[in-house]
Amino acid sequence: KNEVEQSPQNLTAQEGEFITINCSYSVGISALHWLQQHPGGGIVSLFMLSSGKKKHGRLIATINIQEKHSSLHITASHPRDSAVYICAVCPMDSNYQLIWGAGTKLIIKP
Amino acid sequence: NAGVTQTPKFRVLKTGQSMTLLCAQDMNHEYMYWYRQDPGMGLRLIHYSVGEGTTAKGEVPDGYNVSRLKKQNFLLGLESAAPSQTSVYFCASSYISRGETQYFGPGTRLLVL
């Protein structure tokens, strides 16, 4: 069993829909990251969370440490949000190595 | 600032050939990482460096070597390429570790025939 599980693996939605991508993990962590990988391949960091909630534009990330679960929400989705969204966690006992989820491929249709 | 750059962007090798991938960052970051990304799998750490002159093995180090002679550069070498090393390679850097944000290069696509 992977230590970081993302769901769904693939998601197709219509422009304007509210999107939720989930990340569950099985280890104690010091931080959780959400990243976006564009169709061209580039990877950018969206959020780093250790508790609560963060918002940036139409993106909202939440984390529940007790339940070992995080969600990434996109409001008023747009075709340019089409990308792979990746969750990664930093285990408590690690100084360097993140544990990576396999990613969620999101397609927003106009 | 250019951020993190990688060269080359794409390369085709024959089995047994060698090559070096170069990663450069201009953010004065201490930590640098090499990952590989394969379809359907998460990023896997090959090697990492916590500072100039230091390197360490990650999750999948076999078949690769690295060097960090200068703080801004991190080189990944394949001494004798194998088809199993066909992948997309990403370099990343961070100011410090302990879960800090990593900044990624654009990736190198490597095909080993």
Side-chain angles (χ1 to χ4, degrees):
Chain A
K1 185 179 184 301
N2 291 337
E3 291 171 296
V4 177
E5 297 272 2
Q6 288 187 234
S7 62
Q9 284 186 307
N10 296 282
L11 178 57
T12 300
Q14 291 296 132
E15 182 174 355
E17 287 188 33
F18 181 82
I19 303 299
T20 296
I21 298 170
N22 297 299
C23 177
S24 296
Y25 53 91
S26 58
V27 297
I29 67 169
S30 59
L32 180 144
H33 297 261
W34 282 103
L35 304 97
Q36 180 191 55
Q37 185 168 23
H38 299 289
I43 300 174
V44 296
S45 181
L46 298 174
F47 296 104
M48 184 175 74
L49 295 162
S50 55
S51 66
K53 177 179 174 178
K54 287 190 176 180
K55 184 175 189 287
H56 181 69
R58 295 179 294 105
L59 300 177
I60 304 165
T62 64
I63 188 168
N64 184 318
I65 295 292
Q66 288 73 30
E67 294 186 4
K68 293 186 167 61
H69 181 269
S70 175
S71 293
L72 177 68
H73 305 285
I74 305 174
T75 62
S77 59
H78 189 276
R80 65 175 174 267
D81 297 324
S82 298
V84 175
Y85 292 85
I86 303 170
C87 170
V89 302
C90 180
M92 285 281 198
D93 59 356
S94 172
N95 276 333
Y96 63 90
Q97 187 162 341
L98 301 180
I99 304 176
W100 297 83
T104 294
K105 185 175 182 179
L106 174 65
I107 297 173
I108 303 296
K109 293 185 174 181
Chain B
N1 287 351
V4 181
T5 58
Q6 291 182 233
T7 52
K9 288 186 170 56
F10 177 69
R11 184 78 183 267
V12 179
L13 288 180
K14 294 181 180 177
T15 297
Q17 287 184 320
S18 63
M19 77 164 295
T20 300
L21 283 68
L22 171 64
C23 175
Q25 53 93 6
D26 61 2
M27 297 174 282
N28 201 34
H29 285 169
E30 291 293 336
Y31 283 67
M32 296 187 75
Y33 315 83
W34 275 108
Y35 294 96
R36 60 178 288 172
Q37 185 178 43
D38 300 295
M41 301 181 70
L43 289 164
R44 292 186 291 171
L45 183 65
I46 304 171
H47 286 279
Y48 67 100
S49 168
V50 301
E52 182 178 315
T54 74
T55 63
K57 294 180 180 179
E59 183 185 354
V60 287
D62 293 342
Y64 305 96
N65 56 74
V66 287
S67 64
R68 183 116 181 254
L69 299 179
K70 293 182 179 181
K71 186 177 183 178
Q72 64 266 35
N73 295 337
F74 195 28
L75 278 63
L76 177 71
L78 286 74
E79 289 187 348
S80 179
S84 61
Q85 294 178 304
T86 293
S87 189
V88 180
Y89 292 85
F90 286 97
C91 176
S93 69
S94 63
Y95 180 57
I96 56 175
S97 191
R98 286 297 295 167
E100 288 295 323
T101 297
Q102 295 184 15
Y103 296 83
F104 283 81
T108 295
R109 292 186 176 273
L110 177 65
L111 175 62
V112 182
L113 301 176

